[in-house]
Amino acid sequence: MWLINSSIGRKVVMSVTGVALILFLTFHGCMNMVALFSEEGYNMICEFLGANWYAVVATLGLAALAVIHIVYAFILTAQNRTARGDNRYEVATQVNAGKVEWASKNMLVLGLIICVGLLIHLWNFWYNMMFAELVGAMPAISPTDGFGWIKETFSNPVFVVLYVVWLVAIWFHLSHGFWSAMQTLGVSGKIWLKRWMCIGNIYVTLLMLCFLIVVLAFAFGCAPSLCGGSC
Ligand code: HEM
Protein backbone atom coordinates (compact mmCIF):
# COMPACT_ATOMS: atom_id res chain seq x y z
CA MET A 1 0.00 0.00 0.00
CA TRP A 2 1.56 3.31 -1.11
CA LEU A 3 0.26 5.15 1.99
CA ILE A 4 2.54 2.96 4.11
CA ASN A 5 5.35 1.98 1.75
CA SER A 6 6.19 5.19 -0.09
CA SER A 7 7.69 8.34 1.39
CA ILE A 8 5.07 10.63 -0.20
CA GLY A 9 2.29 8.28 0.98
CA ARG A 10 3.51 8.59 4.55
CA LYS A 11 3.63 12.40 4.23
CA VAL A 12 0.04 12.37 2.95
CA VAL A 13 -1.02 10.37 6.03
CA MET A 14 0.81 12.90 8.29
CA SER A 15 -0.89 15.81 6.52
CA VAL A 16 -4.42 14.39 6.48
CA THR A 17 -4.31 13.33 10.15
CA GLY A 18 -2.74 16.73 11.04
CA VAL A 19 -5.50 18.66 9.26
CA ALA A 20 -8.16 16.47 10.94
CA LEU A 21 -6.60 17.22 14.36
CA ILE A 22 -6.64 20.97 13.55
CA LEU A 23 -10.36 20.63 12.73
CA PHE A 24 -10.92 18.96 16.11
CA LEU A 25 -9.00 21.80 17.79
CA THR A 26 -11.18 24.33 15.97
CA PHE A 27 -14.31 22.68 17.37
CA HIS A 28 -12.73 22.36 20.82
CA GLY A 29 -11.60 26.01 20.86
CA CYS A 30 -15.08 27.26 19.84
CA MET A 31 -16.68 25.01 22.45
CA ASN A 32 -14.40 26.36 25.18
CA MET A 33 -15.28 29.96 24.28
CA VAL A 34 -18.84 29.20 25.47
CA ALA A 35 -17.42 28.84 29.01
CA LEU A 36 -16.54 32.54 28.93
CA PHE A 37 -20.22 33.47 28.60
CA SER A 38 -22.39 30.75 30.09
CA GLU A 39 -21.79 28.10 32.74
CA GLU A 40 -25.08 26.42 31.89
CA GLY A 41 -24.39 26.43 28.13
CA TYR A 42 -20.90 25.00 28.58
CA ASN A 43 -22.11 22.22 30.88
CA MET A 44 -24.87 21.33 28.41
CA ILE A 45 -22.18 20.74 25.76
CA CYS A 46 -20.09 18.71 28.23
CA GLU A 47 -23.11 16.57 29.10
CA PHE A 48 -23.74 15.97 25.39
CA LEU A 49 -20.06 14.96 24.97
CA GLY A 50 -20.05 12.80 28.11
CA ALA A 51 -20.20 9.00 28.31
CA ASN A 52 -22.66 8.66 25.39
CA TRP A 53 -21.85 5.99 22.80
CA TYR A 54 -21.33 8.52 19.97
CA ALA A 55 -18.97 10.63 22.10
CA VAL A 56 -16.98 7.51 23.08
CA VAL A 57 -16.75 6.46 19.40
CA ALA A 58 -15.57 10.01 18.49
CA THR A 59 -12.96 9.86 21.27
CA LEU A 60 -11.65 6.53 19.95
CA GLY A 61 -11.49 7.99 16.41
CA LEU A 62 -9.61 11.00 17.74
CA ALA A 63 -7.18 8.79 19.66
CA ALA A 64 -6.56 6.73 16.48
CA LEU A 65 -5.81 9.91 14.49
CA ALA A 66 -3.37 11.11 17.17
CA VAL A 67 -1.59 7.74 17.41
CA ILE A 68 -1.21 7.46 13.61
CA HIS A 69 0.08 11.06 13.44
CA ILE A 70 2.67 10.41 16.18
CA VAL A 71 3.85 7.02 14.84
CA TYR A 72 4.29 8.43 11.33
CA ALA A 73 6.16 11.44 12.77
CA PHE A 74 8.80 9.09 14.19
CA ILE A 75 9.00 7.08 10.94
CA LEU A 76 9.38 10.22 8.78
CA THR A 77 11.99 11.77 11.09
CA ALA A 78 14.06 8.56 11.04
CA GLN A 79 13.70 8.40 7.25
CA ASN A 80 14.79 12.07 6.84
CA ARG A 81 17.85 11.55 9.02
CA THR A 82 18.95 8.47 7.08
CA ALA A 83 18.35 10.10 3.69
CA ARG A 84 19.81 13.56 4.23
CA GLY A 85 22.23 13.32 7.13
CA ASP A 86 23.08 16.82 8.42
CA ASN A 87 21.40 18.58 5.52
CA ARG A 88 17.90 17.30 6.17
CA TYR A 89 16.08 20.66 6.21
CA GLU A 90 17.20 21.92 2.84
CA VAL A 91 13.67 22.59 1.57
CA ALA A 92 12.62 24.55 4.66
CA THR A 93 15.70 26.77 4.55
CA GLN A 94 15.06 27.58 0.91
CA VAL A 95 11.42 28.49 1.48
CA ASN A 96 11.79 30.67 4.53
CA ALA A 97 14.18 31.66 7.26
CA GLY A 98 13.78 32.46 10.96
CA LYS A 99 10.70 31.16 12.76
CA VAL A 100 9.52 28.59 10.21
CA GLU A 101 12.98 27.13 9.90
CA TRP A 102 13.26 26.87 13.69
CA ALA A 103 9.83 25.24 13.98
CA SER A 104 10.53 22.87 11.10
CA LYS A 105 13.81 21.76 12.67
CA ASN A 106 12.12 21.15 15.99
CA MET A 107 8.83 19.55 14.94
CA LEU A 108 9.56 16.29 16.76
CA VAL A 109 10.67 18.02 20.00
CA LEU A 110 7.65 20.35 19.84
CA GLY A 111 5.46 17.29 19.21
CA LEU A 112 6.88 15.58 22.31
CA ILE A 113 6.22 18.67 24.49
CA ILE A 114 2.68 18.72 23.10
CA CYS A 115 2.23 15.02 23.98
CA VAL A 116 3.33 15.60 27.60
CA GLY A 117 0.96 18.61 27.79
CA LEU A 118 -1.83 16.51 26.32
CA LEU A 119 -1.33 13.79 28.94
CA ILE A 120 -1.57 16.43 31.71
CA HIS A 121 -4.67 17.89 30.02
CA LEU A 122 -6.39 14.51 29.65
CA TRP A 123 -5.66 13.80 33.31
CA ASN A 124 -7.12 17.24 34.29
CA PHE A 125 -10.30 16.85 32.24
CA TRP A 126 -10.96 13.61 30.33
CA TYR A 127 -10.02 11.38 33.28
CA ASN A 128 -12.24 13.36 35.69
CA MET A 129 -15.09 13.68 33.22
CA MET A 130 -15.70 11.07 30.51
CA PHE A 131 -13.62 8.33 32.15
CA ALA A 132 -15.15 8.98 35.61
CA GLU A 133 -18.63 8.77 34.08
CA LEU A 134 -17.79 5.55 32.22
CA VAL A 135 -16.52 3.77 35.35
CA GLY A 136 -19.16 5.33 37.63
CA ALA A 137 -16.61 7.19 39.81
CA MET A 138 -17.69 10.17 41.91
CA PRO A 139 -14.97 12.85 41.83
CA ALA A 140 -15.24 15.97 44.04
CA ILE A 141 -16.77 17.91 41.14
CA SER A 142 -19.46 16.29 38.98
CA PRO A 143 -18.09 14.62 35.79
CA THR A 144 -20.49 16.67 33.67
CA ASP A 145 -19.54 19.99 35.33
CA GLY A 146 -16.90 21.02 32.76
CA PHE A 147 -17.19 24.63 33.95
CA GLY A 148 -16.34 23.54 37.50
CA TRP A 149 -13.31 21.55 36.26
CA ILE A 150 -12.00 24.55 34.30
CA LYS A 151 -12.35 26.75 37.40
CA GLU A 152 -10.63 24.14 39.57
CA THR A 153 -7.73 23.56 37.09
CA PHE A 154 -6.89 27.21 36.47
CA SER A 155 -7.20 28.21 40.12
CA ASN A 156 -3.76 26.54 40.34
CA PRO A 157 -1.01 28.86 38.95
CA VAL A 158 1.21 25.85 38.13
CA PHE A 159 -1.36 24.61 35.62
CA VAL A 160 -1.81 28.12 34.23
CA VAL A 161 1.94 28.32 33.46
CA LEU A 162 2.06 24.75 32.08
CA TYR A 163 -0.93 25.41 29.80
CA VAL A 164 0.56 28.68 28.50
CA VAL A 165 3.85 26.91 27.64
CA TRP A 166 1.86 24.07 26.06
CA LEU A 167 -0.21 26.47 23.92
CA VAL A 168 2.95 28.28 22.71
CA ALA A 169 4.48 24.90 21.71
CA ILE A 170 1.27 23.99 19.85
CA TRP A 171 1.36 27.38 18.08
CA PHE A 172 4.90 26.77 16.79
CA HIS A 173 4.07 23.19 15.80
CA LEU A 174 0.90 24.15 13.92
CA SER A 175 2.33 27.26 12.26
CA HIS A 176 4.84 25.01 10.50
CA GLY A 177 2.55 21.96 10.19
CA PHE A 178 -0.23 23.89 8.46
CA TRP A 179 1.71 25.05 5.39
CA SER A 180 3.78 21.86 5.31
CA ALA A 181 0.52 19.88 5.00
CA MET A 182 -0.68 22.20 2.24
CA GLN A 183 2.58 21.63 0.38
CA THR A 184 2.25 17.84 0.66
CA LEU A 185 -1.39 17.97 -0.42
CA GLY A 186 -0.56 19.77 -3.64
CA VAL A 187 0.00 23.51 -3.13
CA SER A 188 2.98 24.41 -5.27
CA GLY A 189 4.87 27.53 -6.29
CA LYS A 190 6.53 30.09 -4.02
CA ILE A 191 3.68 32.61 -4.19
CA TRP A 192 0.95 30.16 -3.15
CA LEU A 193 3.16 28.66 -0.49
CA LYS A 194 3.74 32.14 0.99
CA ARG A 195 -0.01 32.82 0.90
CA TRP A 196 -0.76 29.56 2.73
CA MET A 197 1.92 30.38 5.29
CA CYS A 198 0.20 33.71 5.92
CA ILE A 199 -3.30 32.14 6.11
CA GLY A 200 -1.94 29.37 8.36
CA ASN A 201 -0.25 31.82 10.72
CA ILE A 202 -3.41 33.92 11.09
CA TYR A 203 -5.65 30.87 11.58
CA VAL A 204 -3.38 29.16 14.08
CA THR A 205 -2.82 32.39 16.04
CA LEU A 206 -6.60 32.99 16.35
CA LEU A 207 -7.12 29.35 17.31
CA MET A 208 -4.49 29.42 20.06
CA LEU A 209 -5.80 32.78 21.31
CA CYS A 210 -9.22 31.13 21.84
CA PHE A 211 -7.59 28.64 24.23
CA LEU A 212 -5.29 31.19 25.87
CA ILE A 213 -8.16 33.60 26.62
CA VAL A 214 -10.04 30.84 28.47
CA VAL A 215 -6.97 29.90 30.55
CA LEU A 216 -6.24 33.53 31.50
CA ALA A 217 -9.89 34.50 32.04
CA PHE A 218 -10.37 31.65 34.53
CA ALA A 219 -6.97 32.23 36.15
CA PHE A 220 -7.84 35.88 36.84
CA GLY A 221 -11.59 35.32 37.41
CA CYS A 222 -12.42 37.72 34.62
CA ALA A 223 -15.17 36.49 32.26
CA PRO A 224 -18.88 37.40 31.94
CA SER A 225 -19.77 33.86 33.09
CA LEU A 226 -17.66 34.34 36.26
CA CYS A 227 -18.50 37.87 37.29
CA GLY A 228 -21.78 38.60 35.49
CA GLY A 229 -20.15 41.24 33.26
CA SER A 230 -18.98 43.38 36.20
CA CYS A 231 -15.25 42.54 35.93
C1 HEM B 1 -6.78 25.53 27.36
C2 HEM B 1 -8.01 25.37 27.29
C3 HEM B 1 -8.69 24.03 27.25
C4 HEM B 1 -9.75 23.71 28.01
C5 HEM B 1 -10.46 24.59 29.04
C6 HEM B 1 -10.15 22.36 27.65
C7 HEM B 1 -11.22 21.69 28.20
C8 HEM B 1 -11.52 20.36 27.97
C9 HEM B 1 -12.61 19.64 28.58
C10 HEM B 1 -13.62 20.24 29.57
C11 HEM B 1 -12.59 18.38 28.10
C12 HEM B 1 -13.53 17.23 28.49
C13 HEM B 1 -14.71 17.22 27.54
C14 HEM B 1 -15.66 16.10 27.91
O1 HEM B 1 -15.21 14.96 28.10
O2 HEM B 1 -16.87 16.37 27.97
C15 HEM B 1 -11.46 18.27 27.20
C16 HEM B 1 -11.11 17.13 26.52
C17 HEM B 1 -10.09 17.07 25.59
N1 HEM B 1 -9.24 18.07 25.21
FE1 HEM B 1 -9.28 19.96 25.93
N2 HEM B 1 -9.30 21.89 26.68
C18 HEM B 1 -8.37 22.86 26.41
C19 HEM B 1 -7.33 22.79 25.49
C20 HEM B 1 -7.05 21.68 24.70
C21 HEM B 1 -6.01 21.62 23.71
C22 HEM B 1 -5.07 22.78 23.35
C23 HEM B 1 -6.04 20.35 23.18
C24 HEM B 1 -5.18 19.72 22.11
C25 HEM B 1 -3.94 19.94 21.90
C26 HEM B 1 -7.08 19.62 23.85
C27 HEM B 1 -7.40 18.31 23.60
C28 HEM B 1 -8.39 17.60 24.26
C29 HEM B 1 -8.70 16.21 23.99
C30 HEM B 1 -7.99 15.31 22.97
C31 HEM B 1 -9.77 15.87 24.83
C32 HEM B 1 -10.50 14.52 24.92
C33 HEM B 1 -11.62 14.62 23.92
C34 HEM B 1 -12.55 13.45 23.95
O3 HEM B 1 -12.83 12.89 25.02
O4 HEM B 1 -13.02 13.08 22.86
N3 HEM B 1 -7.69 20.46 24.75
N4 HEM B 1 -10.84 19.50 27.14
Side-chain angles (χ1 to χ4, degrees):
M1 242 261 273
W2 73 278
L3 285 176
I4 298 169
N5 297 330
S6 77
S7 159
I8 185 68
R10 285 191 283 262
K11 283 187 108 180
V12 168
V13 172
M14 263 323 262
S15 303
V16 171
T17 51
V19 170
L21 290 168
I22 292 178
L23 288 178
F24 160 74
L25 272 188
T26 306
F27 164 76
H28 198 34
C30 294
M31 160 189 157
N32 285 340
M33 294 297 281
V34 175
L36 294 177
F37 303 99
S38 164
E39 172 171 2
E40 205 190 352
Y42 189 72
N43 283 348
M44 266 170 70
I45 303 174
C46 288
E47 212 166 312
F48 178 71
L49 296 176
N52 304 305
W53 70 266
Y54 49 83
V56 176
V57 169
T59 299
L60 291 175
L62 193 60
L65 280 176
V67 168
I68 294 171
H69 192 77
I70 293 165
V71 168
Y72 271 66
F74 277 105
I75 296 174
L76 273 175
T77 305
Q79 198 183 24
N80 272 351
R81 293 199 171 163
T82 317
R84 294 203 194 140
D86 287 340
N87 200 18
R88 57 187 190 269
Y89 296 104
E90 207 174 349
V91 176
T93 37
Q94 277 168 11
V95 172
N96 210 340
K99 185 214 85 200
V100 171
E101 192 198 353
W102 185 86
S104 102
K105 277 185 182 168
N106 293 288
M107 283 303 268
L108 194 68
V109 176
L110 285 169
L112 290 174
I113 296 173
I114 293 168
C115 283
V116 173
L118 188 59
L119 288 178
I120 295 173
H121 178 58
L122 292 179
W123 173 63
N124 285 151
F125 291 96
W126 180 83
Y127 173 75
N128 285 310
M129 296 176 69
M130 186 187 266
F131 182 76
E133 227 184 318
L134 284 172
V135 298
M138 274 294 156
I141 300 169
S142 160
T144 53
D145 184 6
F147 191 88
W149 283 108
I150 299 181
K151 250 165 97 175
E152 163 74 12
T153 305
F154 300 125
S155 64
N156 183 339
V158 175
F159 284 126
V160 175
V161 173
L162 285 177
Y163 272 68
V164 171
V165 172
W166 184 46
L167 292 174
V168 171
I170 298 175
W171 183 85
F172 273 109
H173 190 79
L174 296 189
S175 63
H176 170 74
F178 193 98
W179 73 259
S180 179
M182 290 305 148
Q183 194 181 35
T184 301
L185 297 176
V187 173
S188 56
K190 261 192 176 171
I191 293 181
W192 269 104
L193 214 51
K194 282 232 157 96
R195 282 182 188 155
W196 274 107
M197 275 177 190
C198 181
I199 294 168
N201 274 338
I202 295 171
Y203 189 81
V204 165
T205 303
L206 289 176
L207 188 58
M208 287 303 109
L209 280 178
C210 286
F211 289 105
L212 189 65
I213 288 168
V214 174
V215 174
L216 297 180
F218 277 78
F220 294 104
C222 181
S225 57
L226 289 165
C227 57
S230 60
C231 53

